[in-house]
Amino acid sequence: MSNRFGQVFCVTTWGEAHGPAIGAVIDGCPAGLELCEADIQKELDLRRPGTGKHVSPRKEPDQAQILSGVFEGVTTGMPISIIIYNQDVRSKPYEAIKDVLRPGHANFTYLQKYGVFDYRGGGRASARETATRVAAGSVAEKLIGLSGILIETSVETGDIDKAMQEGDSVGGVVTVRVSGMLAGLGAPVFDRLEADLAKALMSIPASKGFEIGQGFRAAEMKGSEHNDGFDENGPSSNLAGGTLGGISTGEDLICRVAFKPTSSIKKEQKTTTLSGRPVQFSLPDGHRHDPCVALRAAPVVKSMVSLVLADHVLIHRHSKIALLPALL
Amino acid sequence: MSNRFGQVFCVTTWGEAHGPAIGAVIDGCPAGLELCEADIQKELDLRRPGTGKHVSPRKEPDQAQILSGVFEGVTTGMPISIIIYNQDVRSKPYEAIKDVLRPGHANFTYLQKYGVFDYRGGGRASARETATRVAAGSVAEKLIGLSGILIETSVETGDIDKAMQEGDSVGGVVTVRVSGMLAGLGAPVFDRLEADLAKALMSIPASKGFEIGQGFRAAEMKGSEHNDGFDENGPSSNLAGGTLGGISTGEDLICRVAFKPTSSIKKEQKTTTLSGRPVQFSLPDGHRHDPCVALRAAPVVKSMVSLVLADHVLIHRHSKIALLPALL
Amino acid sequence: MSNRFGQVFCVTTWGEAHGPAIGAVIDGCPAGLELCEADIQKELDLRRPGTGKHVSPRKEPDQAQILSGVFEGVTTGMPISIIIYNQDVRSKPYEAIKDVLRPGHANFTYLQKYGVFDYRGGGRASARETATRVAAGSVAEKLIGLSGILIETSVETGDIDKAMQEGDSVGGVVTVRVSGMLAGLGAPVFDRLEADLAKALMSIPASKGFEIGQGFRAAEMKGSEHNDGFDENGPSSNLAGGTLGGISTGEDLICRVAFKPTSSIKKEQKTTTLSGRPVQFSLPDGHRHDPCVALRAAPVVKSMVSLVLADHVLIHRHSKIALLPALL
Amino acid sequence: MSNRFGQVFCVTTWGEAHGPAIGAVIDGCPAGLELCEADIQKELDLRRPGTGKHVSPRKEPDQAQILSGVFEGVTTGMPISIIIYNQDVRSKPYEAIKDVLRPGHANFTYLQKYGVFDYRGGGRASARETATRVAAGSVAEKLIGLSGILIETSVETGDIDKAMQEGDSVGGVVTVRVSGMLAGLGAPVFDRLEADLAKALMSIPASKGFEIGQGFRAAEMKGSEHNDGFDENGPSSNLAGGTLGGISTGEDLICRVAFKPTSSIKKEQKTTTLSGRPVQFSLPDGHRHDPCVALRAAPVVKSMVSLVLADHVLIHRHSKIALLPALL
């Protein structure tokens, strides 16, 4: 069940970096939403490899195609299947290093768990998988956009130019601000809005930390400093970051995600082969990689927040009889 | 569905602070686990109110009773229903302040979402709810303990004595270390082990941040510093905190949770009533509260980690044919 | 996960026949529904043992108590925990026969699956479990009753008096008619309304068959006989039984459930002990049983239909943008 | 969530009859299963249109392609995406009748529920959707085949030649027999094996009834006739059809599904347009249809039974500590 996200607005993703295609199936998008491939393409283009000097030079048009669930320009309530064919696949360089336990990479744990690993381009462990999250997220974003919800991200990183010169990589932090929030999203106990956001954002490859509002700084504050009071317009400040008791207040939602430095670097590193033989490993020429994964992650962060909010907007409809007029 | 946690080892909790009882139902615990009420009580006693000068003086025996799912000292595979009766219930003081929007409290958002709020003792928004997590977590902990998994927590806080004197509160950070880990727990995409831990821990009341391994510090590191290499015993360091690609390496699992300072303080605060009338609010005498929620949260953190690991240990059984001997 | 039913209006039941109590937790009932214990008791009294000459003489007040989720007479959106204490528990007679593989009974399969079996009163395999379905169903029935949905059942059986005289038992068929139906409940592929009804009703102990509309008779008809046409009011006949393509038409929902004869009979039967020793088994004096399980099942059938419809009424809210005004 | 089936071996299907493609994504198939496209194709060919005089003359190669989750001939534990492109699409004839409420068809209910309907070829309501069930079912069948489970079906129908001559259609019954069953599959309360089979089989288009063992005949029997006793080899007869208390006994699983006569017939029928205008409707020339849907349904029945059993085989692994050696 690990490839499914969301309870009502539910997305299943599939595909490996060097397979014929990757894709997402959205089950639970309401009928009547205007949707076309350009809506998806617009978001995909933001995360596309090969669009700047600080991101991987892989050249992929990443053309999304809608295979089902849309008829005459609107969603039909049926599952929306989106496919992206893999085009710029160069598996050859991976043959040479398939027996190396690459530092910071997942082949070690995949082999522990599954006994097999599709090493070509990192298989399912490749960040390429996140393109399908962006495709699905673009539909979610359009849905919640109907009520005026707007998600913005910004990124802080280390010195990337220097890191590139050194054949190294840097980490970074993505900050999210959601405006136009509806009050009442989330739930009291396990499905708190911040808990679902944390899961969503900590599921992005390379993420290492999540915080909402003052986050770890809150741990060093006093109650009298941290508490948001209320005035006639609702909360009079927003140190909490937009939720109380796990439920959105209607204030802006503010959270941050920490990303580790990219694991693939050109510098030489000590490691072993699968059979335990020590080797000095350095990324062969011809290998593509991003010196800072946080840059590429920002659109993925936006997509995951969209998926969480779309799901909660739909789930929220069940919260009280007053929202169920057809029942009365 | 907000009161349910886990896919296979699945817990549903229920109950309000001042209702007749609170409880948890575990659906999915394998048959054949030795279990008695003392196993649960031991963990409950660790989080019990009234056990130290820094925790709430509410006096609750918190006596857990097993109502089903155990026969002659072992689990039967049937749902395990655990009930804890509420005994020291003093709802009176809450009557007086039920119309106040208490800073940092959830009555505002509950009313937005549900239109009703059981204000007595905070109802379901009370930290009392976490006793049922501990009850369920104790069963999970016993299950994973069979394979040698051991969870330890430690807490760092601000100066609590000073905060108490000032009628204020402080935040804190709970650090978790899990030893005896199995390799292979977790999944590649959405159900990464760190994502499920993040959800679990960010669902605890007052939590504001989560990190694994180097967490937010990783965002300031270079790849050559952060990457864990491998030697003949597996990973040769553990800056990642125990997972790679969302799956456990077998190294210790290390993560941290930030808690805000307790919202209930004795100091006077500016806020309004439900109808928007400005008031100066200070907690009436007779109200109980903890100056540092992180202290009480530590056993809850351990319980939530136990629930995540028990679930993943069971889910892991499906990962490969080689683990399904009855099939072969 | 076997003790949970429903996706949004989600019920978890627990408890054994001779344990201290049985119960149900409803997670997902909208806030604002008027509810009191008498609403539940009314339905429970209909299935109560000891209320007629053809039903088991077990004397149980079956007093339902609401432990959470209701405040000042309305539901709060929090989980509703309902408990029924077991009172007339006579485990003694079961000691004597615990090593017998009773014909038609579940101890054989429980032991195969779980390795342990709480034999006292049949444990979780006892029909007593269905009392918790009725308790939960009564809340569902109240919810869907708001829109005028009304569920009626009738029962046909063999000659019970004769069966009782012979120490034997008879089967029966329960017919359900739901009037006041909403159109649009159900879904196109797996979660067809008739599929979810089939699962719900085939989960009742002793059920052996389900049909909707003409059911097995439809297999012997021609298309020109079976097809319902349309006139200006919708379908002009209702041989389909109230659904088309898995979705309700608004016509009455009509289905039937077959129940086998009660397995517990006084007549002597050939079987073996757990260790395989042949024995002639006849129910000892003092054992209670119903000569026709279908009679007791009728209220359970109504409850399961209520649970399915409540769930689908809530799920239906996501089907189209037009039903999500808060989004627009 | 209506397009998803299964808890652990979980399938999501998508696609419309006249869209570019249809497909299935399997999430939860264990790694290490040998699988190639021929395994899937073999089953698809059995249900393919155009293969006999009694089935629809639509000519579709129905070529299944595996897009992910298989590497070097074995499953990797990653989602298995299977796609089938639609090739013989003739939407034109559907234009002419898109405003007619066709007797026995789903356009009425889809419009009630979703407000839109992809009428081309029946869209998602077309039986073409079942090809994806067969594709997914073939993987499930291969998995459970490892333990020797074998599923066989047989079909009884009315006189099809006569029905074809009259431009009419007939119903039928599909009987399933599963041999090589494992004991212990299923669960005590809601997820009884027969309940999950009932849901699976009643989700197939045109199904109207389900029974296990003696089914509706059991309702007319006495306990002394219906009860299966035990001898030294287990149950000494199998009137129950292979389960007791919702759990498989290891005996053959025997159940039956009733299918209504195909709704699309050439005979003239009375109905209305969407706007309520009465019309005499007869299927235009050039429309394809099957005179007996039960014939085409048999491979789908086998697939759905495979999906249920694969899911339960995996779920069963959690039932007792004794099956979790890695834990001990």
Side-chain angles (χ1 to χ4, degrees):
Chain A
M1 295 165 278
S2 67
N3 300 281
R4 193 170 77 214
F5 189 83
Q7 295 184 38
V8 173
F9 192 97
C10 180
V11 178
T12 302
T13 69
W14 55 268
E16 281 82 42
H18 287 195
I22 56 176
V25 181
I26 303 170
D27 193 10
C29 182
L33 179 70
E34 292 184 20
L35 186 71
C36 64
E37 281 160 359
D39 293 321
I40 299 167
Q41 200 59 48
K42 194 179 58 183
E43 297 300 320
L44 271 180
D45 289 349
L46 293 176
R47 82 162 279 294
R48 192 171 49 174
T51 52
K53 74 170 175 176
H54 295 143
V55 294
S56 154
R58 177 169 175 172
K59 299 276 180 284
E60 285 271 3
D62 267 357
Q63 206 73 38
Q65 197 185 342
I66 297 174
L67 295 178
S68 67
V70 176
F71 182 56
E72 298 180 344
V74 297
T75 58
T76 60
M78 304 301 115
I80 302 168
S81 176
I82 303 169
I83 196 167
I84 304 167
Y85 287 93
N86 290 325
Q87 302 194 351
D88 178 25
V89 170
R90 285 179 282 160
S91 300
K92 202 76 194 173
Y94 293 89
E95 286 275 343
I97 57 174
K98 69 174 174 149
D99 289 331
V100 174
L101 287 172
R102 296 172 60 189
H105 277 258
N107 52 350
F108 175 73
T109 51
Y110 276 57
L111 285 166
Q112 293 272 349
K113 186 176 189 75
Y114 300 106
V116 291
F117 180 63
D118 178 351
Y119 55 81
R120 301 163 307 160
R124 186 124 180 96
S126 164
R128 176 134 187 82
E129 165 263 317
T130 61
T132 62
R133 305 190 190 208
V134 172
S138 69
V139 182
E141 196 180 353
K142 195 149 190 213
L143 179 69
I144 59 177
L146 293 179
S147 66
I149 293 177
L150 182 71
I151 305 169
E152 287 167 306
T153 59
S154 58
V155 189
E156 298 156 84
T157 69
D159 185 337
I160 301 181
D161 283 327
K162 187 153 165 284
M164 285 185 83
Q165 285 157 20
E166 296 171 353
D168 214 328
S169 63
V170 292
V173 171
V174 178
T175 300
V176 184
R177 175 179 284 268
V178 186
S179 56
M181 276 294 294
L182 300 173
L185 305 186
V189 182
F190 298 117
D191 296 351
R192 291 175 165 242
L193 190 56
E194 59 266 36
D196 279 355
L197 287 167
K199 161 140 188 170
L201 297 174
M202 291 299 299
S203 80
I204 301 174
S207 62
K208 301 302 289 185
F210 168 86
E211 55 183 18
I212 185 163
Q214 295 298 302
F216 279 87
R217 286 169 299 289
E220 294 165 9
M221 294 168 77
K222 295 183 192 167
S224 57
E225 297 166 325
H226 186 271
N227 275 352
D228 299 310
F230 290 86
D231 60 25
E232 65 280 16
N233 302 313
S236 54
S237 58
N238 186 14
L239 274 73
T243 68
L244 272 177
I247 299 171
S248 65
T249 60
E251 303 295 295
D252 285 2
L253 203 59
I254 299 159
C255 53
R256 299 167 81 237
V257 197
F259 288 91
K260 70 176 184 182
T262 316
S263 299
S264 294
I265 57 176
K266 293 195 186 271
K267 273 196 165 170
E268 204 160 76
Q269 300 173 88
K270 267 175 80 170
T271 189
T272 70
T273 61
L274 295 183
S275 58
R277 182 170 53 81
V279 288
Q280 288 292 109
F281 175 74
S282 70
L283 203 63
D285 288 341
H287 260 264
R288 310 172 281 213
H289 78 108
D290 293 304
C292 178
V293 77
L295 288 174
R296 282 280 293 286
V300 185
V301 165
K302 191 174 73 162
S303 296
M304 293 309 298
V305 172
S306 298
L307 290 176
V308 170
L309 293 178
D311 204 30
H312 274 285
V313 160
L314 296 178
I315 289 169
H316 180 56
R317 304 299 303 178
H318 310 130
S319 55
K320 52 187 167 190
I321 298 281
L323 285 177
L324 298 165
L327 253 185
L328 299 168
Chain B
M1 293 165 277
S2 66
N3 300 282
R4 193 171 76 214
F5 190 82
Q7 295 183 39
V8 172
F9 192 98
C10 180
V11 178
T12 302
T13 68
W14 56 269
E16 282 82 42
H18 287 196
I22 57 176
V25 182
I26 302 170
D27 192 11
C29 182
L33 179 70
E34 292 184 19
L35 186 71
C36 63
E37 282 160 359
D39 293 320
I40 299 168
Q41 199 60 45
K42 192 179 58 181
E43 296 300 319
L44 271 180
D45 289 350
L46 293 176
R47 80 161 280 293
R48 192 171 49 173
T51 51
K53 74 171 176 175
H54 295 142
V55 295
S56 156
R58 178 170 177 170
K59 298 274 179 286
E60 286 271 2
D62 268 356
Q63 206 75 38
Q65 196 185 342
I66 297 174
L67 295 178
S68 67
V70 176
F71 181 58
E72 299 181 342
V74 295
T75 58
T76 60
M78 305 299 116
I80 302 168
S81 176
I82 304 168
I83 197 167
I84 305 167
Y85 287 93
N86 290 324
Q87 303 195 350
D88 178 25
V89 169
R90 286 178 280 158
S91 299
K92 201 78 192 174
Y94 292 89
E95 285 276 342
I97 56 173
K98 70 175 173 146
D99 289 330
V100 174
L101 287 172
R102 295 174 60 188
H105 276 259
N107 54 350
F108 175 73
T109 50
Y110 275 57
L111 285 166
Q112 294 273 348
K113 185 174 190 77
Y114 300 106
V116 290
F117 180 63
D118 178 350
Y119 55 80
R120 301 164 308 162
R124 186 120 180 98
S126 163
R128 177 137 186 78
E129 164 263 318
T130 60
T132 61
R133 305 190 190 208
V134 172
S138 68
V139 182
E141 197 179 354
K142 195 148 191 217
L143 179 68
I144 59 177
L146 292 180
S147 66
I149 294 177
L150 181 73
I151 306 170
E152 288 166 306
T153 60
S154 58
V155 190
E156 299 156 84
T157 70
D159 184 336
I160 302 182
D161 284 327
K162 186 152 166 284
M164 285 186 84
Q165 285 156 20
E166 295 171 354
D168 214 330
S169 62
V170 291
V173 171
V174 178
T175 299
V176 184
R177 176 179 284 269
V178 186
S179 56
M181 276 294 294
L182 300 173
L185 305 186
V189 182
F190 298 119
D191 296 350
R192 292 174 165 243
L193 189 57
E194 58 266 36
D196 280 356
L197 287 168
K199 161 140 188 171
L201 297 175
M202 291 298 300
S203 81
I204 301 174
S207 63
K208 302 301 289 184
F210 168 86
E211 55 184 18
I212 184 163
Q214 294 298 302
F216 278 88
R217 286 168 300 289
E220 294 165 10
M221 293 168 79
K222 293 184 194 167
S224 57
E225 297 167 324
H226 186 271
N227 276 352
D228 299 310
F230 290 86
D231 59 24
E232 66 279 16
N233 301 314
S236 53
S237 58
N238 186 13
L239 276 71
T243 69
L244 272 177
I247 298 170
S248 64
T249 60
E251 302 295 296
D252 285 2
L253 203 60
I254 300 158
C255 54
R256 298 168 79 236
V257 198
F259 289 91
K260 68 175 185 182
T262 316
S263 299
S264 294
I265 56 176
K266 293 195 185 271
K267 271 196 165 171
E268 204 161 75
Q269 299 173 88
K270 266 175 79 170
T271 188
T272 71
T273 62
L274 295 182
S275 59
R277 183 171 53 81
V279 289
Q280 289 291 110
F281 175 74
S282 70
L283 203 63
D285 288 345
H287 259 264
R288 312 173 280 213
H289 78 107
D290 293 304
C292 178
V293 76
L295 288 174
R296 283 279 293 284
V300 185
V301 165
K302 190 175 73 161
S303 296
M304 293 307 299
V305 172
S306 299
L307 290 176
V308 170
L309 293 179
D311 204 29
H312 275 284
V313 161
L314 296 179
I315 290 170
H316 180 56
R317 303 298 303 176
H318 311 131
S319 54
K320 52 187 167 192
I321 297 282
L323 285 176
L324 299 163
L327 254 184
L328 297 170
Chain C
M1 292 164 280
S2 67
N3 299 281
R4 193 170 77 214
F5 189 82
Q7 295 183 38
V8 172
F9 192 98
C10 180
V11 178
T12 302
T13 68
W14 55 269
E16 281 82 43
H18 287 197
I22 56 175
V25 181
I26 303 170
D27 192 10
C29 182
L33 179 70
E34 292 184 19
L35 187 71
C36 64
E37 281 160 358
D39 293 320
I40 299 167
Q41 199 59 47
K42 194 179 56 183
E43 298 299 321
L44 271 180
D45 288 349
L46 294 176
R47 82 163 277 295
R48 191 172 49 175
T51 52
K53 75 169 175 175
H54 295 142
V55 294
S56 155
R58 178 169 175 171
K59 299 274 178 286
E60 285 271 2
D62 266 357
Q63 205 75 35
Q65 195 185 344
I66 298 175
L67 295 178
S68 68
V70 176
F71 181 57
E72 299 181 342
V74 296
T75 57
T76 60
M78 304 301 116
I80 301 168
S81 176
I82 303 169
I83 196 167
I84 303 167
Y85 287 93
N86 290 325
Q87 303 195 351
D88 178 25
V89 169
R90 286 179 280 159
S91 300
K92 200 78 193 172
Y94 292 89
E95 286 276 345
I97 57 173
K98 68 175 173 148
D99 288 331
V100 174
L101 287 173
R102 295 173 60 189
H105 276 258
N107 53 351
F108 175 73
T109 51
Y110 275 56
L111 285 167
Q112 293 273 348
K113 186 174 189 76
Y114 300 107
V116 291
F117 180 63
D118 177 351
Y119 56 80
R120 301 164 307 161
R124 186 120 181 97
S126 163
R128 176 134 187 83
E129 165 265 316
T130 61
T132 62
R133 304 190 190 209
V134 172
S138 68
V139 181
E141 197 180 352
K142 195 148 192 214
L143 179 69
I144 59 177
L146 292 179
S147 66
I149 293 176
L150 182 72
I151 306 170
E152 287 167 305
T153 60
S154 58
V155 189
E156 297 156 85
T157 70
D159 185 336
I160 301 181
D161 283 327
K162 186 152 165 284
M164 285 185 82
Q165 286 157 18
E166 295 171 355
D168 214 329
S169 62
V170 291
V173 171
V174 179
T175 299
V176 184
R177 175 179 284 269
V178 186
S179 56
M181 276 294 293
L182 300 173
L185 304 186
V189 182
F190 299 117
D191 296 351
R192 292 175 165 241
L193 190 56
E194 58 266 35
D196 280 356
L197 287 167
K199 162 142 187 169
L201 297 175
M202 291 299 299
S203 81
I204 301 175
S207 62
K208 301 303 288 184
F210 168 86
E211 55 183 18
I212 184 163
Q214 294 298 303
F216 278 88
R217 286 168 300 290
E220 294 165 11
M221 294 168 77
K222 294 183 192 167
S224 57
E225 297 167 323
H226 186 271
N227 275 351
D228 299 310
F230 291 86
D231 60 24
E232 65 279 16
N233 302 314
S236 55
S237 58
N238 186 15
L239 275 72
T243 68
L244 272 177
I247 299 171
S248 65
T249 60
E251 302 295 296
D252 285 2
L253 202 60
I254 299 158
C255 53
R256 300 168 79 237
V257 197
F259 288 91
K260 70 175 184 182
T262 315
S263 299
S264 294
I265 57 175
K266 294 194 186 270
K267 272 196 165 170
E268 204 161 75
Q269 299 173 87
K270 267 175 79 170
T271 188
T272 70
T273 62
L274 296 183
S275 59
R277 182 171 53 81
V279 289
Q280 287 291 111
F281 176 74
S282 70
L283 203 63
D285 287 342
H287 259 264
R288 311 173 281 213
H289 78 107
D290 293 304
C292 178
V293 77
L295 289 173
R296 283 279 294 285
V300 185
V301 165
K302 191 174 73 161
S303 296
M304 293 309 297
V305 172
S306 299
L307 290 176
V308 170
L309 293 178
D311 204 29
H312 274 285
V313 160
L314 296 178
I315 289 169
H316 181 56
R317 303 299 302 175
H318 310 130
S319 55
K320 52 187 167 190
I321 297 282
L323 285 176
L324 299 164
L327 253 186
L328 298 171
Chain D
M1 295 165 279
S2 66
N3 300 281
R4 193 170 76 215
F5 189 83
Q7 295 183 39
V8 172
F9 192 97
C10 179
V11 178
T12 302
T13 68
W14 56 268
E16 281 82 42
H18 288 196
I22 57 177
V25 182
I26 303 169
D27 192 10
C29 182
L33 179 69
E34 292 184 20
L35 187 71
C36 64
E37 282 159 358
D39 293 320
I40 299 168
Q41 199 59 46
K42 193 180 57 183
E43 298 299 321
L44 271 179
D45 289 350
L46 293 177
R47 81 162 278 294
R48 191 171 49 174
T51 52
K53 74 170 177 176
H54 294 143
V55 295
S56 155
R58 178 170 176 170
K59 298 276 179 285
E60 287 270 2
D62 268 358
Q63 205 75 38
Q65 196 185 343
I66 298 174
L67 296 178
S68 67
V70 176
F71 181 58
E72 299 180 342
V74 296
T75 58
T76 59
M78 306 299 117
I80 301 168
S81 176
I82 303 169
I83 196 166
I84 303 167
Y85 287 93
N86 290 324
Q87 302 196 351
D88 178 24
V89 170
R90 286 178 280 159
S91 300
K92 202 75 192 176
Y94 292 88
E95 285 277 341
I97 56 173
K98 69 175 174 149
D99 290 330
V100 174
L101 287 173
R102 295 174 60 188
H105 276 259
N107 53 351
F108 175 73
T109 50
Y110 275 56
L111 285 166
Q112 294 272 349
K113 185 175 189 76
Y114 300 106
V116 291
F117 180 63
D118 178 349
Y119 55 80
R120 300 164 309 161
R124 186 121 180 96
S126 163
R128 176 134 187 81
E129 164 263 318
T130 60
T132 62
R133 304 190 190 208
V134 173
S138 68
V139 182
E141 196 179 352
K142 193 145 193 218
L143 179 68
I144 59 177
L146 292 180
S147 66
I149 293 176
L150 181 73
I151 306 169
E152 287 166 306
T153 60
S154 59
V155 189
E156 298 156 85
T157 69
D159 184 337
I160 302 181
D161 284 328
K162 185 151 166 283
M164 285 185 84
Q165 285 156 19
E166 295 171 354
D168 214 330
S169 62
V170 291
V173 171
V174 179
T175 299
V176 184
R177 176 179 284 269
V178 186
S179 55
M181 276 294 295
L182 300 173
L185 305 186
V189 183
F190 299 118
D191 297 350
R192 290 174 167 245
L193 190 57
E194 58 266 37
D196 280 356
L197 287 167
K199 163 143 187 168
L201 297 175
M202 291 298 299
S203 81
I204 300 175
S207 63
K208 301 302 289 184
F210 168 86
E211 55 183 16
I212 185 163
Q214 294 298 303
F216 279 89
R217 285 169 301 288
E220 294 165 9
M221 293 168 78
K222 294 183 193 168
S224 56
E225 297 166 324
H226 186 272
N227 275 352
D228 299 310
F230 290 86
D231 59 25
E232 65 279 16
N233 302 312
S236 54
S237 58
N238 186 14
L239 275 72
T243 68
L244 273 177
I247 299 171
S248 65
T249 59
E251 302 295 295
D252 285 2
L253 202 59
I254 299 159
C255 53
R256 299 168 79 238
V257 197
F259 289 91
K260 69 176 185 182
T262 316
S263 299
S264 294
I265 56 176
K266 293 196 186 267
K267 271 198 166 170
E268 204 160 74
Q269 298 173 89
K270 267 175 80 171
T271 188
T272 70
T273 62
L274 295 182
S275 59
R277 184 170 52 81
V279 289
Q280 289 290 110
F281 176 74
S282 71
L283 202 63
D285 288 342
H287 260 263
R288 311 173 281 213
H289 79 107
D290 293 304
C292 178
V293 77
L295 288 173
R296 284 279 293 284
V300 185
V301 165
K302 191 174 72 162
S303 296
M304 293 308 299
V305 172
S306 299
L307 290 176
V308 169
L309 293 178
D311 204 28
H312 274 285
V313 161
L314 297 179
I315 290 169
H316 180 57
R317 303 299 302 176
H318 310 132
S319 55
K320 52 187 168 191
I321 297 281
L323 285 177
L324 298 164
L327 254 184
L328 298 170

